[in-house]
Amino acid sequence: MSRDWAELERGLRRLLPSRAVVAARQELLAYDCDGLTLHRHQPPLVVLPETTEQVAAVLRFCHENGVPFVARGSGTGLSGGAVAESEALVIATSRMRRVLEVDLENRRVVVQPGVINSWVTRAVAGDGFYYAPDPSSQVACSIGGNVAENSGGVHCLKYGVTSNHVLALEVVLPDGTVTTLGSDLDETPELDLRGAFIGSEGTLGIATAITLRLLRAPQSVAVLMADFGSMEAAGEAVRRVTAAGVLPAGMEMMDRLVIEAVNDYLRGVEGFEEYPADAAAVLLIELDGQEREVVAAAELASALCREAGARQVRQAWQEEERALLWKGRKSAISALGRRFPSYYLQDGVVPRSALPRVLAAIEALSERFALPVANVFHAGDGNLHPLILYRDGEPGVRERVQELGAEILRLCVDAGGSITGEHGVGSDKRCYLDWMYGPDDLATMQLLRDAFDPQRRANPGKIFPTPRSCAESARRVQVLKAEGVELPAEAVVF
Amino acid sequence: MRPEPHELQELVRDLHRQATPWLPAGSGSRLEWGPPVQPGPGRSAPLALSTARLDRIVEHNPGDFTVTVQTGTPLVVLQQELARHRQWLTLDWPWGTAEAPATGGGNALGAGTVGGLVARGLAGGYRQRHLGVRDQLIGIGLLRADGTAARAGGKVVKNVAGYDLMRLLCGSWGSLALITEVTLRTQPLPPQRRGLWLHGPLQQLQPLARWLLGSSLSPERIDWHRRTLPDAADAAGAEALLVSLASISPQTLEEQVACIRQQADQAGVRTEVLDPERLEAHLELGRGSSAPRPAWLLRAGVPPRRTDELLRARELDGASAVIGAGSGLGDIWGSAAQLPAYRVEALRRRCRELGGHLTVLRQPPGPAATAIPAWLDAPSRPLIETVKRQFDPKQQLARGRLPGVQPPP
């Protein structure tokens, strides 16, 4: 349906200061994609509200005029979630960057959604506190975006993801109503709509004030780095460490392709010690807590790594030393980017015990598609981040890349896992969601959506498979119907 | 009713066709907690549909630290199975579990079912280290009021595909669906565990609690106990802190114990070190073992820093309480004589003034008109009611019991 965006712009200008309305073509370009640059769609109009009241006024206006909208934080998402694919108003929170309240006595902080993840820790670090979820984009991504995606990070193995750290949300519903979900306490006698809202990818409304739990900074932190001759041995080390009752803050693994790329990339950088050239896997384990506990855990974990076949285990205790051990992992994507100009970063999850099997299968797929796949992953929770490497410009390569990406996700689902551990479904993976869930499961999720957004104007088209965009799903429905299977009415929409 | 698993869906569909109200139930050990459920026309008690026959541990993957279990499984059976693999579900037994169920000889029903624990969503002191019930839940299977079976989440510890219906259902008190299966995270059993019972005057215990919370030690629990011992006096000495420590190393555990003891000595607080067995005995006190089935059982919550004020509140006189020092959440109980209704009302007002809330889990029987509402309206009440209508359009499930909506008198 075509809308009169000039007319809508005039209406919005009556509600907002003029600097809060973006309509110039060149300026709109900045909003045409998120961190997933494969999909680009320039929105017709963007607004930049600064307060809850302004967000509410905009959403009431959208409600009265039947306008769909897409909420957007910093635009660092990796699943296309913050992009207006069909004509919709983009509501960016990048001017909602105030820390509203710091309450160290009760270990919580209230922020506007545009506040950058790492600013939260920066605001309270001087007092010995921090905010635990730390996605790798934490210097750029916003807390509002973290809430929408239920973001994780390297340390979520021990400390959990965003939903474990959000106590309350002030939310503007798609009809412009402002409400509060949850409270300052860990438990509130009400349906946990706060928990249901987190990770809903902008399809239930817009969070305008977010109460976060703070943690006490650990007394001591140690990083272990172990290299292995085979991925199986590295996997065994992970198994032994966790089974022994050691709960590391994070466990990160890199495979041979990453190791080679990192060695090339960091060769000659002061203090960087190259990984052994013949290593098949490098495992980083970060331990934190009370000093003596960390010492005991580091000793135990080192011994278990050696028992599993680690050839060398290094320990770092001082901040600079730790940063050097982490440097390879943190440079992994840049290092691969130097070798291969383009990459497609996937995000799948498998049960930890299935890791070796799935990694071997990914390797076989990589050969079949003649596309290199590098693996960096959160080994502790089975969250894989395969990077499919390619040279753009090769004819048909993008289709091949997408197809390989889908095959890898298929492997994850078949192994009992998930198509996304932390990047969200967005537009990128909505056609795979029905690999995990049947029509009744998806229809049940839509019940929640219909309670919040009966007209489905909030981030339309995201998460759930739609027939228009998911030919495969649509075909399957047709086949099922042709076979005489009775589908619930809702199934038609997928 | 205790239908067999294969009968369940058809039964629920039948009830839906007839628009019969019913109450999702586990073993029925705590069915009377919370707001009264309206029985529906022509009935004196609500029709409870029990998951007791859904009692299978579907899949325990020790290497992945996950377990999938049918929700009628007694909690004690699940913990015993996990313990065989040196793992556990990091949650307390629910209040009222009198005997030590994990050591055998306990009454399996005393702790209720896994489904009951999830549906109430109330966590105990282990929250200090391990967070709450909803934080352990990674997958769910449910049966909607119309008999539709659905799932959400999955079997991996990290998963953001689709809406988080696990959280929606956790703590929903049976109001949205019958939870039939859950997948939970498990953890290794700590190889070493010690307890500390710290007792003395409240004004000396309070700085010690603050020190503990701010220290680099990471106890599994730091619980305030008030009058939980059978012979506890009302005056000074009625309060204590129960601390539980866990570690992979006996040596560091002893160091932590010594560190706390030293701090306690300086504060003039008496310390009793508890081996795991005695620790368990003290945990039982915190679940009300000295006063089974009290007239009043309340769930209180205040911002953590206001816990001191709650403990000092005159409204608490005569009552027993266990409150997490780090969470501000806990249970309060007492007889009708110890806690007159007006004082419960006052206690609720006090909790609200302090920025928290009070839920009435049990209250003395009496005319409905004089009953204290189990919970009050949440700010999002209209939205909660909309969600309810979506999931249960004929208002069949746990009629009158919807968290965040003040029950009608």
Side-chain angles (χ1 to χ4, degrees), chain A residues 18 27 131 242 250 286 305 344 365 379 433 448 481 487:
Chain A
S18 63
E27 288 177 65
Y131 174 61
T242 45
E286 185 164 301
C305 283
Y344 178 53
L365 280 175
L433 193 67
L448 182 71
K481 282 189 170 164
L487 290 171

Side-chain angles (χ1 to χ4, degrees), chain A residues 121-333:
Chain A
T121 292
R122 210 194 300 157
V124 297
D127 295 292
F129 292 93
Y130 76 113
Y131 174 61
D134 57 346
S136 55
S137 56
Q138 72 178 134
V139 295
C141 64
S142 69
I143 293 294
N146 292 173
V147 167
E149 303 299 312
N150 194 9
S151 305
V154 167
H155 293 103
C156 64
L157 175 61
K158 179 170 180 179
Y159 294 105
V161 294
T162 302
S163 65
N164 304 110
H165 297 276
V166 173
L167 296 171
L169 293 170
E170 176 191 75
V171 169
V172 182
L173 298 175
D175 66 0
T177 312
V178 183
T179 191
T180 302
L181 312 178
S183 73
D184 286 355
L185 308 190
D186 281 340
E187 241 172 49
T188 312
E190 62 182 54
L191 281 189
D192 189 9
L193 300 182
R194 168 199 52 99
F197 186 93
I198 298 166
S200 63
E201 305 193 24
T203 61
L204 301 182
I206 300 180
T208 47
I210 301 151
T211 306
L212 304 171
R213 181 208 310 280
L214 299 172
L215 297 184
R216 190 98 193 143
Q219 182 184 31
S220 180
V221 182
V223 176
L224 310 185
M225 194 181 82
D227 71 275
F228 298 85
S230 74
M231 189 53 88
E232 287 69 30
E236 177 60 16
V238 170
R239 196 192 65 75
R240 287 185 190 213
V241 168
T242 45
V246 178
L247 182 57
M251 279 204 274
E252 298 286 299
M253 191 98 83
M254 293 176 280
D255 74 357
R256 191 188 301 273
L257 195 51
V258 183
I259 293 166
E260 286 170 10
V262 167
N263 276 344
D264 282 355
Y265 185 70
L266 293 179
R267 190 162 292 136
V269 170
E270 199 191 328
F272 176 73
E273 209 171 304
E274 279 184 39
Y275 301 132
D278 60 341
V282 165
L283 175 65
L284 284 162
I285 301 177
E286 185 164 301
L287 301 157
D288 68 3
Q290 194 240 350
E291 189 171 358
R292 294 299 307 254
E293 280 286 308
V294 178
V295 170
E299 279 165 17
L300 180 59
S302 300
L304 292 168
C305 283
R306 284 200 193 87
E307 278 172 30
R311 301 171 321 170
Q312 197 194 141
V313 183
R314 284 156 60 185
Q315 293 189 6
W317 292 82
Q318 298 311 314
E319 196 172 346
E320 307 81 61
E321 285 180 275
R322 293 200 308 263
L324 276 173
L325 290 194
W326 270 112
K327 196 168 180 63
R329 167 66 182 91
K330 297 214 162 153
S331 315
I333 291 179

Side-chain angles (χ1 to χ4, degrees), chain A residues 164 187 203 293 352 418 444, chain B residues 65 127 144 159 163 247 252:
Chain A
N164 304 110
E187 241 172 49
T203 61
E293 280 286 308
R352 188 167 44 205
S418 170
T444 302
Chain B
F65 293 93
R127 176 193 289 286
R144 273 166 32 198
N159 177 13
Y163 289 150
S247 173
T252 64

Side-chain angles (χ1 to χ4, degrees), chain A residues 436-437, chain B residues 64-68 133-141 152-161 163-167 181-186:
Chain A
M436 292 178 66
Y437 305 115
Chain B
D64 298 328
F65 293 93
T66 60
V67 66
T68 300
V133 182
R134 63 174 188 243
D135 301 288
Q136 321 303 331
L137 200 57
I138 57 176
I140 199 161
K155 291 181 178 166
V156 282
V157 295
K158 212 167 157 194
N159 177 13
V160 295
Y163 289 150
D164 192 340
L165 301 186
M166 289 73 79
R167 281 173 196 259
E181 195 176 289
V182 287
T183 302
L184 299 152
R185 311 173 71 122
T186 62

Side-chain angles (χ1 to χ4, degrees), chain B residues 193-196 272-282:
Chain B
R193 197 175 248 167
R194 280 280 181 289
L196 289 158
E272 221 177 299
V273 180
L274 310 170
D275 60 21
E277 228 165 82
R278 298 216 44 223
L279 170 60
E280 185 51 43
H282 281 73

Side-chain angles (χ1 to χ4, degrees), chain A residues 105-107 149-150 152-153 156-157 159-161 163-167 173 179-181 183-196 198-201 203-204 213 216 219 239 242-247 289-293 296-297 300 347 349-354 378 380-383 385 416-425 433 436-437 440-441 443-452 463-464 490, chain B residues 61-65 86 121-124 127-129 131 133-135 142 144 148-165 167-168 170-173 175-176 185 187-189 191 210 213-218 246-249 251-253 255-256 299-306 326-329 355-359 375-376 378-381 383-384 386-388 390-391 402-405:
Chain A
E105 283 199 319
N106 289 305
R107 302 191 176 190
E149 303 299 312
N150 194 9
C156 64
L157 175 61
Y159 294 105
V161 294
S163 65
N164 304 110
H165 297 276
V166 173
L167 296 171
L173 298 175
T179 191
T180 302
L181 312 178
S183 73
D184 286 355
L185 308 190
D186 281 340
E187 241 172 49
T188 312
E190 62 182 54
L191 281 189
D192 189 9
L193 300 182
R194 168 199 52 99
I198 298 166
S200 63
E201 305 193 24
T203 61
L204 301 182
R213 181 208 310 280
R216 190 98 193 143
Q219 182 184 31
R239 196 192 65 75
T242 45
V246 178
L247 182 57
Q290 194 240 350
E291 189 171 358
R292 294 299 307 254
E293 280 286 308
L300 180 59
D347 166 43
V349 191
V350 296
R352 188 167 44 205
S353 56
H378 311 306
D381 43 33
N383 189 185
H385 288 308
S418 170
I419 58 170
T420 174
E422 53 189 8
H423 294 175
V425 178
L433 193 67
M436 292 178 66
Y437 305 115
D440 284 343
D441 306 336
T444 302
M445 291 179 191
Q446 295 281 21
L447 294 177
L448 182 71
R449 178 175 203 179
D450 288 342
F452 279 78
I463 305 182
F464 297 99
E490 295 94 324
Chain B
N61 296 310
D64 298 328
F65 293 93
R86 303 215 46 76
L122 305 174
R127 176 193 289 286
Q128 176 66 24
R129 172 100 155 240
L131 300 178
V133 182
R134 63 174 188 243
D135 301 288
L142 53 91
R144 273 166 32 198
T148 305
R151 336 186 129 261
K155 291 181 178 166
V156 282
V157 295
K158 212 167 157 194
N159 177 13
V160 295
Y163 289 150
D164 192 340
L165 301 186
R167 281 173 196 259
L168 181 67
C170 185
S172 66
W173 287 80
S175 64
L176 298 182
R185 311 173 71 122
Q187 296 284 345
L189 269 173
R210 269 200 293 281
L213 287 167
S215 77
S216 60
L217 306 170
S218 47
S247 173
I248 51 167
S249 140
Q251 202 186 345
T252 64
L253 194 64
E255 285 171 10
Q256 293 186 39
R299 180 80 177 169
V302 293
R305 196 60 170 81
R306 314 296 294 269
S327 69
L329 291 159
H357 49 70
L358 184 90
T359 300
W375 47 58
L376 304 178
S380 59
R381 170 177 174 157
L383 187 58
I384 289 171
T386 313
V387 172
K388 167 78 174 174
Q390 286 287 332
F391 276 80
L402 179 59
V405 174

Side-chain angles (χ1 to χ4, degrees), chain A residues 51-68:
Chain A
T51 62
T52 301
E53 292 70 32
Q54 289 179 358
V55 174
V58 170
L59 289 196
R60 266 196 307 277
F61 177 84
C62 288
H63 178 66
E64 283 156 11
N65 294 281
V67 178

